[in-house]
Amino acid sequence: MSATAGPGGLFRQATTTSGEILGLVNESVIQFKGVPYGAPTGGKRRYQAPARPAPWRGVRECFGYGPICPQVPTSIANPYGRLIQFDMVAAEGGISEDCLNLNIWTCGLRDGRKRPVIVSIHGGAFSIASGNARIYDGARLAQSGDVVVVTLSHRLASFGYLNLLDLDGTSEIPVAANSGLADLVLGLQWVRENIENFGGDPERVVIWGQSGGGWKVSALLALPAARGLFSRAVVQSGSLTRFQERDAAAAVAAGFVATLGLAPRNLAKLRTLPWPVLLEAQTKVGAQAFMPFLDGEFITQHAFDPAAPAASANVPLIVSTTRDDAGLFFNDFALDEAGLMGLLRQQFGERANDIRALYREHEHAASPFLLRARIITDAGFRRFAYMQAERKAQQGAAPVYVYQWNWPSPAYEGKFGAAHAIDVAAGFGNARDAILGGGCEPGRSLSHALSSMLIHFASTGEPGPVAGVAWAPYASAQRNCLLIDDPVILAKDPDHEIRAFWERQPSPISVLG
């Protein structure tokens, strides 16, 4: 170890199961970025189960983010994408199939302390983004709560969820199903085996995901392979109850293979094609068509349907939404009442008038854009969240807590409302992010309240009070829900008429794209 790697220097050296790594120090936070937790996944390793990285000699410098899975960034013309900076997703680290890497922020290395560990699993459905995205920077969270923060990148879309099990000729290229989720399991195994070297406690690991990250956390809660790798979980705006059926995944795979001009007799070429060619075909098919499916071995049953999974029965859970989650799907900020009614009639038919009347009774001043966002949020995001919470509560083995973020983002003159992912920035303590108002009040205080809750939950398995407000578990009788606004309050079955209305409808609106 060099002099600068010792206490008080600019660098710190740590030991992993694959070799020594060197990280940078920023104030009290030691940062290791681009740490391999898995072997390369391209070429002959494409569509295979993840493997541990090969050991290296010497000290590996981990100063910058590693590559992310091949993907198409969010359009620079998309206001919401620019708000959360997903249009810059490949700005640091580059793009490569060699994407099984993670990032660590900690305030101590093997110093005799065992800090709670917060593992953030990124959003972007199952198709885009990475643990490198700026919204997931863990420095502030690690420093403010003296916790170890980890973010993961993994395989996405066709690189992680291509169902080749049911295509003739695949015996030439043995494949693994759902390798994107298998990557996350391997990453959590890496955390269990290595995190003590970074001052963390492998017995106190919380997995936390928002949007697509919430889907992944929901999936991990149901996976036997992930049992015991974490002790608490947080699902923000991403309550997944069912996986894709195997035949539907096979149809997507058939379309992908046909787009590449391949047939069952020459599927082995899937291992030799350059990844940009695969990405082009994936884009034509639709990246969001690729998602975890019931393969019968790695995934054997649905996540939270018809009941909460037994694999995570003893894991405390937090489930949440934001009031205006679905606004990420829309850009028609100038929508008027007539246009709103036209859209509601297209989607809901004869129920449109009743829906508008119900919402205008509760939302007198909301713009037509935000009213539409709240309607779709309640019909999809929120209905799935309540469904997940209900089934977890009915299981009766570990508590589930529910919150709804209602404070509107000041960004873009407030037109996104309580925007999708606003509570991600808050949870990380990144109050300077635009979505939280760039450091304004009460954005700073609400960010402090949510990140403090997350730290308490990671430490004890209970969220504790939030901004001084006691938070009781969710149960069918009370339906306790913490409303995060200025001020924070605990409500029993908030907006119960709206909740009950959507529960009477035949099926939720899918948020899986």
Side-chain angles (χ1 to χ4, degrees), residues 179-236:
S179 52
L181 280 181
D183 294 344
L184 292 176
V185 171
L186 182 65
L188 290 172
Q189 290 171 343
W190 189 98
V191 169
R192 171 160 285 276
E193 294 170 4
N194 289 276
I195 210 63
E196 282 191 78
N197 293 335
F198 298 86
D201 185 353
E203 300 303 322
R204 290 189 296 167
V205 175
V206 58
I207 54 172
W208 164 32
Q210 183 268 350
S211 193
W215 296 342
K216 295 162 196 171
V217 170
S218 298
L220 288 166
L221 287 166
L223 286 183
R227 188 196 298 263
L229 297 178
F230 53 89
S231 53
R232 342 21 180 117
V234 180
V235 173
Q236 294 175 319

Side-chain angles (χ1 to χ4, degrees), residues 419-455:
H420 190 67
I422 189 171
D423 49 347
V424 177
F428 274 99
N430 292 329
R432 68 178 179 178
D433 285 10
I435 199 169
L436 277 169
C440 74
E441 277 288 350
R444 291 198 310 271
S445 60
L446 290 177
S447 176
H448 175 73
L450 196 69
S451 60
S452 297
M453 177 278 292
L454 184 61
I455 292 162

Side-chain angles (χ1 to χ4, degrees), residues 25-245:
V25 181
N26 188 339
E27 294 294 331
S28 59
V29 183
I30 311 164
Q31 308 178 51
F32 300 89
K33 296 179 177 178
V35 181
Y37 72 84
T41 56
K44 293 181 179 180
R45 294 293 310 162
R46 191 178 283 164
Y47 310 125
Q48 294 289 295
R52 295 171 183 268
W56 56 82
R57 294 181 178 180
V59 181
R60 186 183 187 115
E61 295 179 353
C62 291
F63 302 151
Y65 290 118
I68 67 172
C69 184
Q71 60 189 269
V72 177
T74 301
S75 169
I76 58 174
N78 183 310
Y80 178 77
R82 290 181 65 82
L83 173 65
I84 61 171
Q85 300 184 72
F86 269 20
D87 59 314
M88 303 176 69
V89 71
E92 296 184 77
I95 294 178
S96 168
E97 285 185 270
D98 184 11
C99 62
L100 303 191
N101 53 75
L102 50 80
N103 313 301
I104 307 162
W105 293 263
T106 182
C107 292
L109 301 175
R110 296 196 70 84
D111 56 1
R113 302 183 56 187
K114 287 190 175 183
R115 298 165 177 83
V117 181
I118 298 174
V119 179
S120 168
I121 299 173
H122 70 79
F126 294 103
S127 52
I128 62 168
S130 78
N132 302 353
R134 296 183 182 186
I135 200 170
Y136 304 118
D137 184 273
R140 291 291 299 166
L141 181 59
Q143 183 183 54
S144 64
D146 197 18
V147 294
V148 181
V149 180
V150 179
T151 66
L152 293 163
S153 294
H154 53 94
R155 282 175 285 181
L156 301 166
S158 67
F159 298 91
Y161 301 102
L162 181 64
N163 178 15
L164 293 173
L165 301 178
D166 300 310
L167 295 183
D168 293 337
T170 56
S171 58
E172 299 178 24
I173 51 167
V175 295
N178 295 302
S179 52
L181 280 181
D183 294 344
L184 292 176
V185 171
L186 182 65
L188 290 172
Q189 290 171 343
W190 189 98
V191 169
R192 171 160 285 276
E193 294 170 4
N194 289 276
I195 210 63
E196 282 191 78
N197 293 335
F198 298 86
D201 185 353
E203 300 303 322
R204 290 189 296 167
V205 175
V206 58
I207 54 172
W208 164 32
Q210 183 268 350
S211 193
W215 296 342
K216 295 162 196 171
V217 170
S218 298
L220 288 166
L221 287 166
L223 286 183
R227 188 196 298 263
L229 297 178
F230 53 89
S231 53
R232 342 21 180 117
V234 180
V235 173
Q236 294 175 319
S237 304
S239 295
L240 178 73
T241 59
R242 293 178 62 84
F243 294 110
Q244 191 176 47
E245 297 293 344

